[in-house]
Amino acid sequence: MTVARAHKRRRLSPPESSDRHSSPETPNGNGYLAQAARWNLEQEYEQRPRKQKKGTESTRLPIKTAEGRIERIASPLSDQESEEDVSSGSDNEEQSEPEEGPTIEEQPAEVPIRQQIIEAKEELARIGTLLSEDPEEHIGGFKTLAEITTSTNPTIKRLALATQLAVYKDVIPGYRIRPLGEVDKVEKVSKDVRKLRSFEQALVRNYQNYVKELAKCAKASSDNSSEATAAVASVAISCACTLLLAAPHFNFRGDLIKILVDKLGAKRRDGDFSKCLSTFEKLFREDDDGELSLDGVTQLTKMMKAHSYRIDESLLNSFLHLRLLSELTSRGSQNRIDRPSENPANGKKPKSKKEFRTKKQRKLLKERKSVEKEFKEADAIASHAERERLQSETLKMVFVTYFRILKARIPNLTGAVLEGLAKYAHLINQDFFGDLLEALKDILIISASDTDSNDLTTITISDDEATKDHASNQKDSLRPSLLATTTAFALLEGQDIARSASSLHLDLTFFTRHLYKSLHSFSLNPDIELSAKSPRLPDSHQNNARRPQSPTIDNRVNLKTPSVLLLRALSSILLPRSVPPLRVAAFVRQLYIISLQLPEKSAQAVLGLLHQVLKLHGRKVAALWSTEERKGDGVFDALRSDVEGSNPFASTIWEGELLRCHYVPAVREGVKGVERVIKDIR
């Protein structure tokens, strides 16, 4: 039979110490032991309060903040969750030691990115609403928005930039805020004026920081940048474009223009490039006083010169949207009226008409005039003379850019320069006519030499691709030659230079001969009725690698077709009254020949031009329709470059009989109309 082991009982009283020399005040003393024998440690441990690990519910009511939001305030933590008593046993002390380590402090949980974006949207909406309602009372909201813009999250950064754009568009006043001087700071003003000045200066300061942030974000875009950085840069450029259109009168306009110019100077053409270019075009069209156009053209021309004019053609086409053609015209004086004045020559009024005013009335009238003058300056209404001065400076910079590009002979910009010169030719100073005509002659010579070299290349090389390249080069050379000819004749139109042409010794015979020689090439051009924006079918015979991609931006703003340019040049040559009969007869003979090759609309236009020419010079060329009489001997040479030496009166116009059988009724009627004019003359 096994004997059960007795249970070991815990000894509550401390053991007796054999050290008799210990002090009674210490734990090893006799007095301490006698007192400890009466302790009930288990009962005291049982009565000690337990720790509550469950979360306590808040019993407080929700409150409403000053911003109108309802929030709940959590109750403070209970004091019962304190550390254990120091008088506990050694076992309890050892268990509490690991809880006091660094692992007790809980790390804040990371907020998900989606939650951060939602919270940022709510905060931006709240601040934007407060600023839109009363910006003077919540001026600190601008700084808060700027702090949110510094977020590392690209989505939050874009939202903050767009929010600031909407806020500034609503808050910006309709006038330019000037900085306060020393006199203004010490001047005694009312409380409302002081408050308004403080708000304006704070607005300008925060607006400047916002523009700097836009410039910083826009510069971060590059070919090697990430998608997030490129997205932020795109938003920054869009904000700059919108802000420049919404508030072009406000401060730091030059900084916004610089953001757009830097983007236009980049080599990559994307959606942001197109947006900046369209912004400049709209600014040029809507500019009333000319100051904004001058700032934009100044920075654009500096950028072009810095890049040695290795720029896109569309930048030069933006100059065609300037309000120079309609504004810089001959107008009457704004300061004088051409009518008999009631005042005498000395400018003094007669005594009978002089009104009597007291000293007080004269003082009030003087103050009223000074106030009206200040109002006029505050409204920033530019006078007619000031507007002409600004637009003249703008026009000067545009022409300097055009002449430098012509002098540098940059091929891809020649067409854009000629379009601009053809539009603003009547505004060019007469002193530049000689140099400009020489530059236009060089363009015609270069285009003719390129065409001849392409002809030789096509003859020697039998490759199909060489033939296609020759055709495309020929099409590209026709338009610059037409523009050069049109520009040369436009110099004599719209000015008083026609009377002084002999004194200036302007000889346009070279342009006349070149146009006469190129008529057959123009008639065989398949794109003569297509403009830059006309839809074209892709060439099925051209490889995809060699097929030109359709540009995102149109290269030309001048949408005139080659047919229209040709008719304009012919009108400048044939419609003046002092045209020699041989020149008129040679051109009329050639126009009938090319009418057989031209498309129907161009043929109708040529016949309409012939109708006008014959009404004016019909008696000079009536012999071309007669088979019985001749004014010249020999044979007519249609391929001769010399107009007068082609001997047009040695032939008869027989192409009219073929045009009578044309498949278009309008062409048939046009031929009959031309013949009726000849019959009336006879």
Side-chain angles (χ1 to χ4, degrees):
M1 182 177 180
T2 59
V3 181
R5 187 177 179 180
H7 294 284
K8 185 177 180 180
R9 293 185 180 181
R10 183 177 181 182
R11 187 172 183 176
L12 300 180
S13 59
E16 295 181 359
S17 178
S18 60
D19 189 4
R20 298 179 181 179
H21 303 285
S22 60
S23 174
E25 297 178 358
T26 60
N28 295 329
N30 297 328
Y32 181 82
L33 295 176
Q35 186 179 0
R38 295 189 300 269
W39 289 354
N40 191 356
L41 299 179
E42 293 181 353
Q43 185 66 22
E44 184 179 356
Y45 179 81
E46 181 66 21
Q47 294 178 357
R48 186 178 300 173
R50 272 69 169 174
K51 293 182 179 179
Q52 297 181 359
K53 296 184 179 180
K54 296 182 180 180
T56 56
E57 297 182 358
S58 176
T59 57
R60 297 190 178 187
L61 296 176
I63 63 172
K64 189 174 184 180
T65 60
E67 292 82 6
R69 299 179 62 184
I70 299 177
E71 296 180 355
R72 294 181 178 273
I73 302 215
S75 59
L77 295 176
S78 176
D79 295 335
Q80 298 178 358
E81 299 180 359
S82 59
E83 60 181 4
E84 295 183 357
D85 191 76
V86 294
S87 60
S88 302
S90 59
D91 297 337
N92 296 335
E93 291 180 0
E94 292 176 358
Q95 294 177 0
S96 62
E97 286 180 359
E99 296 180 358
E100 295 178 359
T103 57
I104 296 179
E105 299 180 1
E106 297 180 357
Q107 297 292 338
E110 294 185 1
V111 182
I113 297 179
R114 184 179 181 85
Q115 184 65 24
Q116 293 180 11
I117 295 174
I118 295 175
E119 293 177 357
K121 286 182 179 180
E122 295 177 354
E123 184 69 13
L124 291 172
R126 184 181 65 84
I127 298 175
T129 304
L130 295 176
L131 289 174
S132 299
E133 292 176 353
D134 194 354
E136 296 184 6
E137 294 294 334
H138 306 87
I139 192 65
F142 293 108
K143 188 175 181 180
T144 306
L145 291 177
E147 292 176 354
I148 299 176
T149 310
T150 59
S151 175
T152 57
N153 192 335
T155 305
I156 297 177
K157 196 177 188 68
R158 285 183 292 169
L159 291 173
L161 291 175
T163 303
Q164 291 185 80
L165 170 65
V167 170
Y168 283 118
K169 283 178 61 179
D170 295 339
V171 173
I172 286 177
Y175 54 89
R176 187 183 183 91
I177 299 176
R178 61 179 181 86
L180 294 178
E182 298 296 334
V183 180
D184 298 331
K185 293 180 180 179
V186 299
E187 184 182 4
K188 292 183 179 180
V189 293
S190 62
K191 184 178 179 181
D192 296 337
V193 174
R194 191 183 304 109
K195 183 179 180 181
L196 179 60
R197 285 183 177 180
S198 177
F199 166 72
E200 290 178 347
Q201 298 304 316
L203 175 63
V204 171
R205 184 169 57 254
N206 289 280
Y207 182 74
Q208 182 182 12
N209 296 332
Y210 175 61
V211 173
K212 289 181 180 179
E213 185 66 23
L214 289 179
K216 180 181 177 182
C217 296
K219 288 181 179 179
S221 177
S222 61
D223 296 336
N224 299 327
S225 60
S226 60
E227 295 183 1
T229 306
V232 174
S234 179
V235 171
I237 293 173
S238 300
C239 292
C241 294
T242 307
L243 203 56
L244 189 59
L245 292 175
H249 62 279
F250 200 59
N251 304 52
F252 309 107
R253 178 179 61 196
D255 297 338
L256 293 175
I257 293 177
K258 190 176 185 305
I259 296 175
L260 274 64
V261 170
D262 292 342
K263 180 59 182 176
L264 292 175
K267 296 182 180 180
R268 186 175 60 179
R269 292 178 55 182
D270 49 7
D272 295 335
F273 184 95
S274 176
K275 191 177 298 181
C276 295
L277 187 62
S278 60
T279 301
F280 269 112
E281 293 174 356
K282 189 173 182 180
L283 285 176
F284 292 158
R285 288 194 302 266
E286 297 179 354
D287 186 23
D288 294 330
D289 54 358
E291 185 177 358
L292 181 59
S293 298
L294 180 60
D295 293 343
V297 171
T298 301
Q299 295 200 29
L300 281 175
T301 51
K302 286 183 179 179
M303 182 269 294
M304 294 176 186
K305 186 178 180 181
H307 287 75
S308 300
Y309 300 102
R310 305 298 177 183
I311 57 174
D312 193 83
E313 184 183 2
S314 56
L315 295 181
L316 290 176
N317 290 332
S318 64
F319 292 159
L320 300 179
H321 296 272
L322 291 168
R323 298 181 59 179
L324 303 178
L325 184 63
S326 58
E327 298 293 336
L328 287 179
T329 54
S330 57
R331 298 181 179 180
S333 175
Q334 299 291 326
N335 301 325
R336 295 178 298 175
I337 302 176
D338 297 332
R339 63 182 181 182
S341 177
E342 298 179 356
N343 299 336
N346 55 7
K348 296 182 180 180
K349 292 183 180 181
K351 291 185 177 180
S352 58
K353 292 188 177 182
K354 187 175 181 179
E355 299 180 4
F356 175 77
R357 297 186 181 90
T358 61
K359 185 177 180 180
K360 186 176 181 180
Q361 289 176 349
R362 290 196 299 270
K363 184 178 180 181
L364 290 175
L365 182 61
K366 186 177 180 180
E367 292 178 355
R368 190 179 296 110
K369 288 182 179 180
S370 63
V371 171
E372 290 177 356
K373 184 179 179 180
E374 292 178 358
F375 276 139
K376 186 177 180 180
E377 294 177 356
D379 293 340
I381 302 176
S383 61
H384 182 75
E386 180 68 15
R387 183 168 61 251
E388 282 194 351
R389 185 188 67 82
L390 294 174
Q391 292 183 351
S392 299
E393 293 293 330
T394 305
L395 186 64
K396 185 187 301 182
M397 301 182 71
V398 171
F399 281 153
V400 167
T401 304
Y402 285 162
F403 294 155
R404 286 177 177 174
I405 293 175
L406 287 179
K407 187 177 180 180
R409 295 182 180 179
I410 302 175
N412 62 323
L413 300 180
T414 303
V417 171
L418 292 177
E419 289 183 4
L421 290 175
K423 183 175 182 179
Y424 301 125
H426 67 287
L427 302 175
I428 302 176
N429 193 351
Q430 297 180 5
D431 299 335
F432 298 103
F433 282 176
D435 298 335
L436 182 57
L437 288 178
E438 292 297 327
L440 295 177
K441 287 181 181 179
D442 294 341
I443 293 173
L444 291 180
I445 293 172
I446 293 173
S447 62
S449 62
D450 292 342
T451 305
D452 295 339
S453 63
N454 291 330
D455 291 337
L456 294 175
T457 304
T458 308
I459 293 172
T460 56
I461 300 175
S462 61
D463 191 7
D464 294 339
E465 295 183 357
T467 305
K468 295 171 185 176
D469 292 341
H470 159 67
S472 61
N473 293 333
Q474 186 179 6
K475 295 175 188 177
D476 295 337
S477 62
L478 291 179
R479 186 177 181 87
S481 61
L482 279 175
L483 288 170
T485 306
T486 306
T487 304
F489 284 99
L491 293 175
L492 302 179
E493 299 176 359
Q495 298 188 18
D496 296 335
I497 189 176
R499 300 177 181 178
S500 59
S502 58
S503 61
L504 292 174
H505 303 287
L506 296 178
D507 186 13
L508 302 180
T509 307
F510 177 81
F511 299 95
T512 303
R513 292 178 178 177
H514 185 273
L515 183 63
Y516 179 81
K517 181 181 178 181
S518 305
L519 285 177
H520 293 284
S521 301
F522 292 152
S523 64
L524 299 177
N525 186 6
D527 294 338
I528 194 171
E529 291 186 353
L530 298 179
S531 64
K533 290 187 177 180
S534 299
R536 291 175 172 82
L537 294 176
D539 190 359
S540 58
H541 299 286
Q542 191 173 7
N543 296 330
N544 295 330
R546 298 176 53 87
R547 185 176 299 172
Q549 300 295 331
S550 59
T552 56
I553 307 170
D554 182 22
N555 291 332
R556 302 183 183 95
V557 176
N558 189 354
L559 300 180
K560 294 180 180 178
T561 61
S563 177
V564 175
L565 294 176
L566 177 61
L567 292 174
R568 182 178 176 183
L570 291 172
S571 301
S572 302
I573 296 174
L574 300 177
L575 291 183
R577 294 183 176 275
S578 58
V579 183
L582 283 176
R583 182 178 299 178
V584 177
F587 271 97
V588 169
R589 191 72 182 81
Q590 290 282 44
L591 290 178
Y592 260 96
I593 294 175
I594 68 174
S595 297
L596 298 174
Q597 313 297 332
L598 290 174
E600 53 182 72
K601 294 182 180 179
S602 299
Q604 296 177 27
V606 169
L607 291 175
L609 177 64
L610 285 173
H611 192 274
Q612 298 179 7
V613 171
L614 292 178
K615 277 188 175 181
L616 189 62
H617 306 287
R619 296 186 181 276
K620 299 178 182 179
V621 297
L624 294 176
W625 278 265
S626 176
T627 58
E628 298 178 357
E629 57 179 295
R630 281 189 177 183
K631 288 187 177 181
D633 298 331
V635 180
F636 169 65
D637 188 2
L639 300 179
R640 188 167 180 173
S641 59
D642 188 8
V643 181
E644 285 76 9
S646 61
N647 196 12
F649 287 106
S651 64
T652 304
I653 294 179
W654 52 269
E655 292 84 4
E657 299 300 325
L658 295 179
L659 291 175
R660 283 174 173 268
C661 303
H662 201 274
Y663 65 94
V664 179
V667 176
R668 298 197 294 266
E669 293 296 330
V671 174
K672 294 179 182 178
V674 172
E675 293 180 352
R676 281 195 295 268
V677 174
I678 297 298
K679 290 181 180 180
D680 295 340
I681 292 175
R682 291 181 177 180

